[in-house]
Amino acid sequence: MDKEKITFSVQMTAKEVYMFTMYHVYHGFSGILGLCLSLVALMNLVLSFDSLSDQNKTILTFVAAWFTILEPIRMFFRARKQVKRTKAYSQPLNYVLDEEGITVSQDGESQTIAWGNLAKIVKTKSQYFFYSSKIHAFIFPKKDIGTQCEALDKLVIQCTKNTNVKRKGSFPRYID
């Protein structure tokens, strides 16, 4: 493998944390179940509206809104609070991705995580999530990676092909 090195910085924002949280929650069992419950409540409300008591209409409206309106709003405010209280997010995090792994640095300190120590890598429309555990991930907005996204895809595929790291999303199947 050539010595591909991808370097970029990320200034974490509430929007980026919110998008990660939305993906993480709504691609898990509880998020999918919650959406299904909201959908069933909405369908029941619409189809049985005339025969429902006011109390049942209120309950069904609340259940229908919980995972589709209320939970996303709550997650946004939680993400905003998390960005404000997390000291590491107060300034950019600098990343170098190469065949050794992911090196993150800030204020003269750095740490490298080997590719094999990652659990999963997810590529979405606007971000990459490099999970170091089931719930913790490095969030890499594509806007911060810029023109290096294709090189990052190639590096991820090359460095994870003989590991237990799962790749999800729109990674190319084969590389040149």
Side-chain angles (χ1 to χ4, degrees), residues 71-132:
E71 188 66 14
I73 290 170
R74 188 184 70 77
M75 283 191 278
F76 175 77
F77 286 108
R78 186 188 225 177
R80 202 166 76 172
K81 185 177 178 183
Q82 181 180 353
V83 168
K84 285 181 182 178
R85 75 169 187 248
T86 304
K87 185 180 176 192
Y89 292 164
S90 65
Q91 45 189 310
L93 293 158
N94 304 303
Y95 293 97
V96 176
L97 285 73
D98 58 23
E99 65 186 23
E100 301 300 315
I102 302 166
T103 302
V104 58
S105 61
Q106 187 181 60
D107 289 335
E109 295 184 31
S110 68
Q111 181 180 6
T112 301
I113 291 97
W115 289 103
N117 291 337
L118 295 172
K120 172 173 65 172
I121 301 171
V122 176
K123 180 181 176 184
T124 69
K125 182 178 171 184
S126 60
Q127 296 175 315
Y128 290 88
F129 308 131
F130 284 61
Y131 283 84
S132 57

Side-chain angles (χ1 to χ4, degrees), residues 16 19-20 22 30 33-34 41 56 58 61 73 93 100 114 118-119 134 153 160 168:
E16 300 301 341
M19 289 172 63
F20 164 74
M22 287 290 288
S30 63
L33 180 62
N56 285 341
T58 302
T61 301
I73 290 170
L93 293 158
E100 301 300 315
L118 295 172
K134 286 188 175 193
D153 288 351
T160 61
K168 295 189 175 196

Side-chain angles (χ1 to χ4, degrees), residues 130-142:
F130 284 61
Y131 283 84
S132 57
S133 70
K134 286 188 175 193
I135 60 170
H136 295 101
F138 295 101
I139 302 169
F140 299 153
K142 287 183 179 179

Side-chain angles (χ1 to χ4, degrees), residues 146-161:
T147 60
Q148 302 177 92
C149 286
E150 191 173 316
L152 177 58
D153 288 351
K154 184 177 180 179
L155 184 66
V156 165
I157 291 168
Q158 287 177 338
C159 293
T160 61
K161 67 181 169 190

Side-chain angles (χ1 to χ4, degrees), residues 4 8 31 39 104:
E4 185 74 43
F8 57 93
L39 181 61
V104 58

Side-chain angles (χ1 to χ4, degrees), residues 12-21 126-127 139 141 143:
M12 198 54 59
T13 65
K15 177 185 175 188
E16 300 301 341
V17 173
Y18 173 70
M19 289 172 63
F20 164 74
T21 305
S126 60
Q127 296 175 315
I139 302 169
K143 67 177 178 49

